[in-house]
């Protein structure tokens, strides 16, 4: 239950009827009521945009750019980690819709959050970074600072973002992932365990070979070693400074002792000549 907008990355690859569905990204609005994930009609009712992209288990990190400007929600995806963002979701002006339907009335202030869940088909969800920026005043001379970067028409289909409703393989409003409790009921015992183990055997991006990992680790160790030598040199410099200070202090003590002895000698000489007196000040 929440009030706001959720950008859902649904990587579940099939439904109860056994059909295969490409991973998709869907924008869901909620006014604080409960959404039953297993109810197709209710899930569709809250969807405001969707796109399809095979972002799961790629060899590179996938990036998403999400913007909320002037009542419009837009989402882009970079599937190749090349800074080429392909358009994914672009809604109409939701603030205008909110004047007729309060379900589209989003809060003016709120919080950013990231969460994940899985059912019997275990998966690993990794978020490497999350950056937030204020886009007020970002536009210059009418240009859209968030326009998608040009990308070649020769991009392979496996890294191309498809719009919802583009064809039969990419429906405009599929059901959001089925309730995990339902999935677990269909995979009892050994079958459930096998599905879990198979899912965890899949490599998680970004993949790194053993040689690449060892090389990177050795490079990091060299950096640590260099830092330790720098600390060692600083310690030696500090010891030298302390030794110099100690030498200076000993010299001052010796000088003070010599001065005291000289004053004592003068005092005694005055007393012998004057036969007493007030002493030497």
């Amino acid at each position: 239950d929440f009030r706001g907008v959720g950008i859902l990355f649904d990587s579940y690859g099939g439904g109860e009827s056994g059909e295969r569905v490409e991973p998709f990204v869907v924008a869901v609005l909620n006014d604080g009521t409960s959404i039953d994930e297993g109810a197709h009609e209710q899930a569709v009712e809250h969807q405001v945009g969707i796109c399809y992209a095979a972002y799961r288990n790629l060899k590179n990190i996938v990036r998403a750019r999400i913007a909320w400007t002037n009542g419009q929600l837009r989402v882009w995806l970079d599937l190749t980690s090349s800074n080429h963002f392909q358009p994914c979701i672009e809604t109409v002006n939701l603030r205008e819709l909110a004047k007729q339907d309060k379900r589209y009335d989003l809060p003016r202030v709120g919080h950013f959050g990231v969460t994940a869940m899985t059912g019997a088909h275990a998966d690993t969800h990794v978020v490497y970074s999350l950056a937030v920026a204020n886009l007020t005043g970002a536009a210059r001379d009418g240009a859209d600072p968030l326009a998608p970067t040009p990308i070649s028409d020769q991009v392979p289909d496996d890294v191309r973002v498809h719009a919802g409703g583009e064809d039969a393989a990419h429906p405009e409003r599929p059901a959001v992932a089925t309730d995990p409790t339902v999935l677990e009921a269909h995979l009892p015992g050994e079958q459930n365990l096998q599905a879990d183990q198979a899912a965890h055997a899949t490599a998680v991006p970004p993949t790194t070979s053993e040689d690449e990992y060892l090389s990177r680790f050795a490079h990091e160790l060299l950096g640590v070693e260099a830092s330790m030598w720098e600390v060692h040199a600083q310690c030696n410099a500090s010891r030298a400074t302390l030794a110099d200070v100690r030498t200076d202090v000993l010299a001052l003590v010796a000088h003070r002792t010599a001065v005291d002895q000289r004053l004592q000698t003068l005092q005694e000489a005055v007393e012998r000549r004057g036969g007493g007196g007030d002493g030497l000040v």
Side-chain angles (χ1 to χ4, degrees):
D1 300 349
F2 68 96
R3 180 169 179 256
V5 60
I7 309 297
L8 310 184
F9 288 75
D10 194 324
S11 60
Y12 176 55
E16 296 180 23
S17 61
E19 77 276 9
R20 300 297 299 174
V21 179
E22 185 179 356
F24 57 87
V25 181
V26 58
V28 176
L29 263 63
N30 194 19
D31 56 2
T33 58
S34 177
I35 300 178
D36 181 4
E37 294 183 12
H40 176 80
E41 295 79 6
Q42 194 178 36
V44 167
E45 182 182 1
H46 288 78
Q47 293 180 16
V48 293
I50 187 171
C51 76
Y52 295 80
Y55 53 77
R56 190 171 181 270
N57 289 340
L58 296 178
K59 293 183 179 180
N60 53 268
I61 295 176
V62 174
R63 295 186 296 171
R65 176 184 289 169
I66 303 168
W68 169 258
T69 54
N70 300 321
Q72 186 182 37
L73 177 67
R74 290 183 288 175
V75 179
W76 299 264
L77 297 178
D78 176 8
L79 301 182
T80 57
S81 197
S82 59
N83 205 35
H84 289 305
F85 286 88
Q86 302 180 63
C88 170
I89 294 174
E90 183 172 344
T91 70
V92 297
N93 192 318
L94 299 178
R95 287 180 180 169
E96 292 298 322
L97 287 180
K99 295 177 181 179
Q100 288 79 34
D101 191 336
K102 293 300 181 183
R103 291 177 303 172
Y104 298 102
D105 187 15
L106 292 175
R108 299 297 177 179
V109 295
H111 306 276
F112 295 95
V114 179
T115 186
M117 65 178 296
T118 186
H121 298 286
D123 207 346
T124 302
H125 310 274
V126 182
V127 177
Y128 292 95
S129 67
L130 173 65
V132 181
N134 187 345
L135 300 180
T136 302
R140 295 289 186 274
D141 301 326
D144 184 359
L146 298 174
T149 55
I151 188 166
S152 172
D153 292 335
Q154 304 302 318
V155 174
D157 284 341
D158 58 350
V159 290
R160 182 177 294 278
V161 177
H162 300 274
E166 183 174 281
D167 50 46
H170 306 98
E172 187 174 359
R173 294 185 179 275
V176 179
T178 308
D179 191 332
T181 58
V182 178
L183 295 177
E184 291 168 359
H186 291 173
L187 291 173
E190 184 65 25
Q191 187 180 2
N192 194 342
L193 177 61
Q194 291 175 357
D196 182 77
Q197 291 176 340
H200 281 288
T202 304
V204 177
T207 56
T208 304
S209 68
E210 182 177 355
D211 291 341
E212 290 174 338
Y213 177 80
L214 291 176
S215 175
R216 185 174 61 185
F217 185 64
H219 180 74
E220 292 175 352
L221 285 179
L222 289 175
V224 172
E225 183 181 11
S227 298
M228 293 180 65
W229 277 112
E230 183 178 355
V231 171
H232 181 70
Q234 292 177 352
C235 289
N236 287 337
S238 298
R239 291 192 188 98
T241 301
L242 290 174
D244 292 341
V245 171
R246 183 174 182 274
T247 300
D248 292 341
V249 170
L250 291 176
L252 288 174
V253 170
H255 180 70
R256 175 60 186 271
T257 301
V259 170
D260 290 343
Q261 291 176 350
R262 179 60 177 168
L263 289 175
Q264 182 64 29
T265 301
L266 291 174
Q267 180 72 25
E268 293 174 353
V270 169
E271 291 178 351
R272 285 196 300 271
R273 291 182 181 181
D278 294 333
L280 180 65
V281 178

